[in-house]
Amino acid sequence: MARDIPTPDGETSWHALQALLRERHPYAAVEIFHRALGDVFRITLPGFRPIFMAGPHAARFVLVEARESFNWRNENDPVTELLDHGMLVVDGEEHDHLRGLMNPALSRRRVDGYLDIMLRRTDEITVGWADGATVDMLVEMRKITLLALMEALFDVDLAPELDRLWGPVLSAIRYVSPGLWMLWRGVPRPQFDGRIRQLDEYLFRIIAERRERLERDSEAGDLLSVLIQAGLPDRRVRDQMLTMLIAGHDTNTALLAWALALLGQHPEALARSTAEVRATLGEARPEIEGINQLEYVALVLKEALRLYPPIHLGSRVAAADLEFNGYPIPRGERVVYSIYLTQRDPAYWDEPARFIPERHTGRSAPYTWIPFGGGPRNCIGSAFGMLEAKVVLARVLQQFDVELVEPAIRPRMAATLEPQPGVRMRGGRV
């Protein structure tokens, strides 16, 4: 017999509001709901009543078992408005076709070849750090990831345009971030129009220039050239470029910023990471073999992804009437499975709120560590993201002694789960 999906009562809502005001991030309230109501519950706000799910069984249900009965595309979401027909917001054959085109550029074999780009772009930014100066690692990591992604995937040097496009990129991120649009749909947001149009103009110019180049030389193998040569019209090429530009750089920006913040908050882990990097790499420019030997650094990144997954939830729309654990999920319902709650579930993680990189030396239970999703639509850029995070973090620790200046950092729900008010660190050159 179907059961009604639990909703918070007055007392639970009051405790959630207190937690929200005290800790100043939405998951403080959502964690209260999870503890009180279980792995399936409904949040009830004006115009926004999603079914929340948490835990490995829910993740497996959404990502694998019932995946064909869920749609990624939601016409009411700003992410769909922004990315249009980008791979992230389409379903069925359209998604499969686009993913097939993009997979080779993001394969593990191909990704290793981006090492030089990742190192060079890291050095390009860190060379501007004055010895002993304080920098915001959230900002600095965003510069590195933007430059590296644009060159690796599109063979484009963004550096001359970085200052001009910085505002438009941040505006695009804010456009798809949680906000009042969730409660009042269809409200015009003209403050974003000019900035997003500026970003579009840049992308369409790059596409036009590449088409001209391909008429002279058809040997280019970067992702942008592949999309054009596959016959996609300019608008659809733009959609994929913007998808990778926003989703591809913002996730790693958050991961790197959190990894540095957590290391700064845990001096023993910072010392161990730094010692491993310098003993393994020495003073030489890193090669892929050395990067692959950084075992503790890899554990740090995995633990940062567990505690603060950049993509902290997955949103779907039920395409058919479904049932999960006796709860009905009617067609058309918005279903949100929480990666954040799943990866902090005390049923599967000892001391889940603590930063313990060593916990990842063994295998976690299936679908309890899912920062890249799972199933056939897992993150297409996971190999790129993990290598870039390892390379950039190692290069910073190889060349700088870093110290966290302001340790009071909290998560903020933007397009990703990012550290606020930033990650201010002082760095002394080695």
Side-chain angles (χ1 to χ4, degrees), residues 7 41-52 182 185 333-334:
T7 58
F41 56 93
R42 187 188 292 277
I43 290 181
T44 55
L45 294 170
F48 186 67
R49 304 180 71 252
I51 298 171
F52 253 76
M182 299 163 64
R185 307 290 166 80
E333 285 274 9
R334 179 193 289 265

PDB file of all heavy atoms in Angstrom, residues 7 41-52 182 185 333-334:
ATOM      1  N   THR A   7       6.286  15.151   5.300  1.00  0.00           N
ATOM      2  CA  THR A   7       6.615  16.572   5.196  1.00  0.00           C
ATOM      3  C   THR A   7       6.930  17.100   6.591  1.00  0.00           C
ATOM      4  O   THR A   7       6.444  16.547   7.595  1.00  0.00           O
ATOM      5  CB  THR A   7       5.448  17.374   4.600  1.00  0.00           C
ATOM      6  OG1 THR A   7       4.284  17.189   5.421  1.00  0.00           O
ATOM      7  CG2 THR A   7       5.132  16.923   3.183  1.00  0.00           C
ATOM      8  N   PHE A  41      11.461  12.521   1.665  1.00  0.00           N
ATOM      9  CA  PHE A  41      10.612  13.538   2.282  1.00  0.00           C
ATOM     10  C   PHE A  41      10.343  14.626   1.259  1.00  0.00           C
ATOM     11  O   PHE A  41      11.004  14.715   0.227  1.00  0.00           O
ATOM     12  CB  PHE A  41      11.258  14.131   3.547  1.00  0.00           C
ATOM     13  CG  PHE A  41      12.624  14.723   3.349  1.00  0.00           C
ATOM     14  CD1 PHE A  41      12.783  16.075   3.070  1.00  0.00           C
ATOM     15  CD2 PHE A  41      13.756  13.934   3.457  1.00  0.00           C
ATOM     16  CE1 PHE A  41      14.041  16.624   2.890  1.00  0.00           C
ATOM     17  CE2 PHE A  41      15.027  14.478   3.288  1.00  0.00           C
ATOM     18  CZ  PHE A  41      15.174  15.818   3.001  1.00  0.00           C
ATOM     19  N   ARG A  42       9.358  15.445   1.566  1.00  0.00           N
ATOM     20  CA  ARG A  42       8.995  16.539   0.669  1.00  0.00           C
ATOM     21  C   ARG A  42       9.242  17.870   1.369  1.00  0.00           C
ATOM     22  O   ARG A  42       8.855  18.050   2.528  1.00  0.00           O
ATOM     23  CB  ARG A  42       7.536  16.443   0.244  1.00  0.00           C
ATOM     24  CG  ARG A  42       7.161  17.472  -0.844  1.00  0.00           C
ATOM     25  CD  ARG A  42       5.659  17.498  -1.114  1.00  0.00           C
ATOM     26  NE  ARG A  42       5.165  16.294  -1.747  1.00  0.00           N
ATOM     27  CZ  ARG A  42       5.219  16.042  -3.050  1.00  0.00           C
ATOM     28  NH1 ARG A  42       5.791  16.918  -3.861  1.00  0.00           N
ATOM     29  NH2 ARG A  42       4.719  14.926  -3.542  1.00  0.00           N
ATOM     30  N   ILE A  43       9.901  18.773   0.660  1.00  0.00           N
ATOM     31  CA  ILE A  43      10.044  20.144   1.134  1.00  0.00           C
ATOM     32  C   ILE A  43       8.893  20.957   0.567  1.00  0.00           C
ATOM     33  O   ILE A  43       8.592  20.876  -0.629  1.00  0.00           O
ATOM     34  CB  ILE A  43      11.396  20.729   0.706  1.00  0.00           C
ATOM     35  CG1 ILE A  43      12.529  20.055   1.485  1.00  0.00           C
ATOM     36  CG2 ILE A  43      11.441  22.234   0.915  1.00  0.00           C
ATOM     37  CD1 ILE A  43      13.906  20.574   1.158  1.00  0.00           C
ATOM     38  N   THR A  44       8.233  21.717   1.413  1.00  0.00           N
ATOM     39  CA  THR A  44       7.053  22.465   0.972  1.00  0.00           C
ATOM     40  C   THR A  44       7.298  23.961   1.105  1.00  0.00           C
ATOM     41  O   THR A  44       7.325  24.510   2.198  1.00  0.00           O
ATOM     42  CB  THR A  44       5.819  22.064   1.799  1.00  0.00           C
ATOM     43  OG1 THR A  44       6.106  22.243   3.200  1.00  0.00           O
ATOM     44  CG2 THR A  44       5.461  20.605   1.571  1.00  0.00           C
ATOM     45  N   LEU A  45       7.513  24.590  -0.029  1.00  0.00           N
ATOM     46  CA  LEU A  45       7.646  26.030  -0.114  1.00  0.00           C
ATOM     47  C   LEU A  45       6.676  26.526  -1.177  1.00  0.00           C
ATOM     48  O   LEU A  45       6.260  25.746  -2.046  1.00  0.00           O
ATOM     49  CB  LEU A  45       9.079  26.423  -0.495  1.00  0.00           C
ATOM     50  CG  LEU A  45      10.172  26.092   0.527  1.00  0.00           C
ATOM     51  CD1 LEU A  45      11.546  26.311  -0.102  1.00  0.00           C
ATOM     52  CD2 LEU A  45      10.019  26.944   1.777  1.00  0.00           C
ATOM     53  N   PRO A  46       6.304  27.796  -1.153  1.00  0.00           N
ATOM     54  CA  PRO A  46       5.396  28.305  -2.182  1.00  0.00           C
ATOM     55  C   PRO A  46       5.973  28.104  -3.577  1.00  0.00           C
ATOM     56  O   PRO A  46       7.048  28.616  -3.900  1.00  0.00           O
ATOM     57  CB  PRO A  46       5.270  29.797  -1.833  1.00  0.00           C
ATOM     58  CG  PRO A  46       5.618  29.886  -0.387  1.00  0.00           C
ATOM     59  CD  PRO A  46       6.641  28.820  -0.144  1.00  0.00           C
ATOM     60  N   GLY A  47       5.300  27.317  -4.396  1.00  0.00           N
ATOM     61  CA  GLY A  47       5.744  27.096  -5.765  1.00  0.00           C
ATOM     62  C   GLY A  47       6.905  26.137  -5.909  1.00  0.00           C
ATOM     63  O   GLY A  47       7.413  25.935  -7.022  1.00  0.00           O
ATOM     64  N   PHE A  48       7.381  25.544  -4.821  1.00  0.00           N
ATOM     65  CA  PHE A  48       8.540  24.651  -4.882  1.00  0.00           C
ATOM     66  C   PHE A  48       8.333  23.529  -3.869  1.00  0.00           C
ATOM     67  O   PHE A  48       8.507  23.721  -2.668  1.00  0.00           O
ATOM     68  CB  PHE A  48       9.820  25.437  -4.580  1.00  0.00           C
ATOM     69  CG  PHE A  48      11.086  24.634  -4.769  1.00  0.00           C
ATOM     70  CD1 PHE A  48      11.474  24.205  -6.025  1.00  0.00           C
ATOM     71  CD2 PHE A  48      11.882  24.322  -3.670  1.00  0.00           C
ATOM     72  CE1 PHE A  48      12.644  23.474  -6.202  1.00  0.00           C
ATOM     73  CE2 PHE A  48      13.054  23.605  -3.841  1.00  0.00           C
ATOM     74  CZ  PHE A  48      13.434  23.177  -5.104  1.00  0.00           C
ATOM     75  N   ARG A  49       7.931  22.346  -4.361  1.00  0.00           N
ATOM     76  CA  ARG A  49       7.604  21.221  -3.476  1.00  0.00           C
ATOM     77  C   ARG A  49       8.282  19.936  -3.971  1.00  0.00           C
ATOM     78  O   ARG A  49       7.620  18.952  -4.296  1.00  0.00           O
ATOM     79  CB  ARG A  49       6.096  21.033  -3.401  1.00  0.00           C
ATOM     80  CG  ARG A  49       5.331  22.269  -2.947  1.00  0.00           C
ATOM     81  CD  ARG A  49       3.824  22.037  -2.875  1.00  0.00           C
ATOM     82  NE  ARG A  49       3.462  21.157  -1.774  1.00  0.00           N
ATOM     83  CZ  ARG A  49       3.047  19.894  -1.909  1.00  0.00           C
ATOM     84  NH1 ARG A  49       2.986  19.346  -3.128  1.00  0.00           N
ATOM     85  NH2 ARG A  49       2.722  19.167  -0.871  1.00  0.00           N
ATOM     86  N   PRO A  50       9.607  19.915  -4.041  1.00  0.00           N
ATOM     87  CA  PRO A  50      10.283  18.732  -4.576  1.00  0.00           C
ATOM     88  C   PRO A  50      10.256  17.566  -3.599  1.00  0.00           C
ATOM     89  O   PRO A  50      10.182  17.747  -2.374  1.00  0.00           O
ATOM     90  CB  PRO A  50      11.716  19.227  -4.780  1.00  0.00           C
ATOM     91  CG  PRO A  50      11.890  20.240  -3.694  1.00  0.00           C
ATOM     92  CD  PRO A  50      10.560  20.948  -3.603  1.00  0.00           C
ATOM     93  N   ILE A  51      10.326  16.365  -4.149  1.00  0.00           N
ATOM     94  CA  ILE A  51      10.549  15.173  -3.340  1.00  0.00           C
ATOM     95  C   ILE A  51      12.053  15.006  -3.181  1.00  0.00           C
ATOM     96  O   ILE A  51      12.778  14.898  -4.167  1.00  0.00           O
ATOM     97  CB  ILE A  51       9.944  13.925  -4.014  1.00  0.00           C
ATOM     98  CG1 ILE A  51       8.428  14.077  -4.168  1.00  0.00           C
ATOM     99  CG2 ILE A  51      10.277  12.665  -3.214  1.00  0.00           C
ATOM    100  CD1 ILE A  51       7.791  12.980  -5.019  1.00  0.00           C
ATOM    101  N   PHE A  52      12.521  15.002  -1.948  1.00  0.00           N
ATOM    102  CA  PHE A  52      13.941  14.806  -1.668  1.00  0.00           C
ATOM    103  C   PHE A  52      14.195  13.335  -1.373  1.00  0.00           C
ATOM    104  O   PHE A  52      13.410  12.680  -0.692  1.00  0.00           O
ATOM    105  CB  PHE A  52      14.369  15.643  -0.454  1.00  0.00           C
ATOM    106  CG  PHE A  52      15.212  16.832  -0.804  1.00  0.00           C
ATOM    107  CD1 PHE A  52      14.631  17.961  -1.346  1.00  0.00           C
ATOM    108  CD2 PHE A  52      16.578  16.817  -0.592  1.00  0.00           C
ATOM    109  CE1 PHE A  52      15.397  19.072  -1.668  1.00  0.00           C
ATOM    110  CE2 PHE A  52      17.355  17.918  -0.911  1.00  0.00           C
ATOM    111  CZ  PHE A  52      16.766  19.042  -1.453  1.00  0.00           C
ATOM    112  N   MET A 182      13.120  29.899  -7.923  1.00  0.00           N
ATOM    113  CA  MET A 182      12.563  28.597  -7.567  1.00  0.00           C
ATOM    114  C   MET A 182      11.137  28.740  -7.027  1.00  0.00           C
ATOM    115  O   MET A 182      10.335  27.812  -7.116  1.00  0.00           O
ATOM    116  CB  MET A 182      13.460  27.927  -6.521  1.00  0.00           C
ATOM    117  CG  MET A 182      14.880  27.669  -7.026  1.00  0.00           C
ATOM    118  SD  MET A 182      16.052  27.343  -5.700  1.00  0.00           S
ATOM    119  CE  MET A 182      15.379  25.821  -5.037  1.00  0.00           C
ATOM    120  N   ARG A 185       8.254  31.431 -10.661  1.00  0.00           N
ATOM    121  CA  ARG A 185       8.729  31.114 -12.002  1.00  0.00           C
ATOM    122  C   ARG A 185       8.275  32.181 -12.999  1.00  0.00           C
ATOM    123  O   ARG A 185       7.244  32.822 -12.847  1.00  0.00           O
ATOM    124  CB  ARG A 185       8.180  29.761 -12.461  1.00  0.00           C
ATOM    125  CG  ARG A 185       8.439  28.635 -11.491  1.00  0.00           C
ATOM    126  CD  ARG A 185       9.935  28.280 -11.446  1.00  0.00           C
ATOM    127  NE  ARG A 185      10.243  27.436 -10.306  1.00  0.00           N
ATOM    128  CZ  ARG A 185      10.025  26.137 -10.266  1.00  0.00           C
ATOM    129  NH1 ARG A 185       9.493  25.539 -11.294  1.00  0.00           N
ATOM    130  NH2 ARG A 185      10.341  25.435  -9.199  1.00  0.00           N
ATOM    131  N   GLU A 333       6.472  14.985 -11.258  1.00  0.00           N
ATOM    132  CA  GLU A 333       7.047  15.463 -10.002  1.00  0.00           C
ATOM    133  C   GLU A 333       8.533  15.754 -10.164  1.00  0.00           C
ATOM    134  O   GLU A 333       9.258  15.022 -10.839  1.00  0.00           O
ATOM    135  CB  GLU A 333       6.875  14.417  -8.898  1.00  0.00           C
ATOM    136  CG  GLU A 333       5.474  14.314  -8.344  1.00  0.00           C
ATOM    137  CD  GLU A 333       5.216  15.319  -7.231  1.00  0.00           C
ATOM    138  OE1 GLU A 333       6.071  16.212  -7.009  1.00  0.00           O
ATOM    139  OE2 GLU A 333       4.153  15.210  -6.585  1.00  0.00           O
ATOM    140  N   ARG A 334       8.986  16.808  -9.513  1.00  0.00           N
ATOM    141  CA  ARG A 334      10.432  17.068  -9.420  1.00  0.00           C
ATOM    142  C   ARG A 334      10.996  16.196  -8.298  1.00  0.00           C
ATOM    143  O   ARG A 334      10.506  16.226  -7.162  1.00  0.00           O
ATOM    144  CB  ARG A 334      10.713  18.534  -9.126  1.00  0.00           C
ATOM    145  CG  ARG A 334      12.225  18.842  -9.004  1.00  0.00           C
ATOM    146  CD  ARG A 334      12.453  20.218  -8.413  1.00  0.00           C
ATOM    147  NE  ARG A 334      12.108  21.279  -9.330  1.00  0.00           N
ATOM    148  CZ  ARG A 334      12.976  21.893 -10.139  1.00  0.00           C
ATOM    149  NH1 ARG A 334      14.245  21.520 -10.140  1.00  0.00           N
ATOM    150  NH2 ARG A 334      12.588  22.869 -10.916  1.00  0.00           N
TER     151      ARG A 334
END
